[in-house]
Amino acid sequence: MNPLHETRLKIRSELEAPPALRKFGSGWISGVLGMMFGIAALGSVIMMRFPGVFTMRENAGVIDHPAFRTGMFVLMVLAFVFSLLNLILRPSKALGMTGMIATLLAVTFGGTSASAVAPDLTPVYFGLDFFVLRLLFTGFLFIPLETLFPNRADQGIFRYEWREDLFYYLISSMLVQVLTWLSFMPAQTLFKLTSWTEFRAWIAALPFLVQLVAIMFLTDLVQYWVHRLFHRIPALWRFHAVHHSAQHMDWMAGARMHFLEILILRGTTVFPMILLGFSQTAVNAYVLVVYLFATFAHSNLGWRLGSMEKFFVTPRFHHWHHGIEKEAIDVNFAIHFPLFDKIFGTHHMPENNRWPSGYGIGGHPVPKGYWQQFLYPFRRKK
């Protein structure tokens, strides 16, 4: 067997180890953390070496800041310590060795003293920094919460098809520039063709919280109907089916979206906030809010939120949208406010805090793997 393939299988086997082999003190937790921190440190060094290729323009100031290098030093120390713990405590050394090798490579390529080795020749970049920061921020926010308050306690962090969803995270992050440009282009074109100067100035002068709530309501109204059309129109459903093919729900499941669905969904939902002239501060805040909302809605959190479920989308609300039962078909389309589902007759929240028994599509027709799923909407039905 190819040594690289054998190593990959060992790492995968360790990450997907059964609960009995993941207990505190077994070295599994330290191995996972050591590997994650080591890979993040190596990714950070690559960003610093090739800032015009692997970093977003918006993050250039962050990476050049001394605090970033301090954070990198802490990351490398933690990666080394956790990887060493894994090597000491665990019979299988796959995770610890991976973390240690990644950390040593990060140090070899410059560590905290790394500087740019290639000029920024083009305006095109890949969002490696976005992927690393996004994964660290979201993972460290939701993994502990899902571990402490799970809806499905038997569902591990590295559950079935976790690699596919992580790859979706990687692709959408690396192509963030392309996705942003293509999805914002229609709204920005209309913005230039319209002259609502006074009205837009009035909108931009509204208090920040008023603007944020208004954006949430308007984009949710647009997204409700676009989302519903993805379920009603067969040609669109084939793209959306990729998202619904996830058989487990957690903080990574929301990343599983076909490239063209992302463009259509984002391209239509940004119309209100671009055309109406909301301030850039409010728009940036909404981007963060909608990202956290979507991650929260898909998460494996079993919180019973009582009256809050009447006003805001919660995991149980959105899990029913993904449920495999008949009663879960074509319900709960909103992403922020269940009010829209109540108004338009698609609201479904069973009594007694009941959750779906499973997730996915009946018969599971969508193939496995990113590229097979990418091609799935374009293939003729047999």
Side-chain angles (χ1 to χ4, degrees), residues 121-312:
L121 299 176
T122 72
V124 179
Y125 60 82
F126 298 100
L128 178 62
D129 58 338
F130 185 50
F131 173 68
V132 172
L133 295 173
R134 182 184 178 193
L135 203 60
L136 288 176
F137 172 73
T138 318
F140 277 95
L141 180 62
F142 282 95
I143 288 176
L145 290 175
E146 290 187 351
T147 303
L148 293 171
F149 311 103
N151 171 45
R152 294 174 178 268
D154 59 337
Q155 180 176 300
I157 299 169
F158 300 97
R159 40 69 176 174
Y160 176 67
E161 291 192 320
W162 67 270
R163 294 175 302 144
E164 284 86 340
D165 292 335
L166 184 62
F167 193 69
Y168 273 98
Y169 250 101
L170 175 65
I171 293 295
S172 62
S173 299
M174 295 293 278
L175 298 181
V176 63
Q177 184 187 30
V178 175
L179 285 168
T180 302
W181 183 76
L182 289 175
S183 57
F184 274 68
M185 183 175 61
Q188 288 177 337
T189 301
L190 277 179
F191 179 89
K192 293 174 183 177
L193 295 175
T194 52
S195 54
W196 307 341
T197 308
E198 292 183 5
F199 176 71
R200 285 169 177 156
W202 177 76
I203 290 287
L206 291 171
F208 169 77
L209 282 178
V210 174
Q211 290 191 59
L212 181 59
V213 173
I215 292 174
M216 290 177 69
F217 266 93
L218 292 170
T219 54
D220 205 15
L221 176 60
V222 174
Q223 178 155 309
Y224 172 90
W225 283 107
V226 174
H227 191 178
R228 193 165 173 176
L229 287 174
F230 267 103
H231 279 251
R232 296 292 185 181
I233 300 174
L236 292 178
W237 166 249
R238 290 180 65 78
F239 289 96
H240 192 52
V242 171
H243 180 62
H244 275 267
S245 68
Q247 296 177 42
H248 291 80
M249 296 291 282
D250 66 0
W251 64 280
M252 282 198 297
R256 184 185 295 209
M257 289 182 70
H258 195 280
F259 190 85
L260 289 181
E261 182 185 358
I262 295 175
L263 291 181
I264 295 170
L265 196 60
R266 290 185 188 175
T268 50
T269 54
V270 299
F271 269 93
M273 60 185 181
I274 299 297
L275 285 181
L276 299 180
F278 289 98
S279 69
Q280 193 59 48
T281 304
V283 170
N284 291 341
Y286 173 73
V287 170
L288 177 61
V289 167
V290 72
Y291 174 66
L292 289 175
F293 244 100
T295 308
F296 173 66
H298 290 90
S299 66
N300 182 36
L301 283 172
W303 286 339
R304 307 296 187 259
L305 297 171
S307 58
M308 183 180 173
E309 292 184 337
K310 298 178 182 178
F311 303 103
F312 297 101

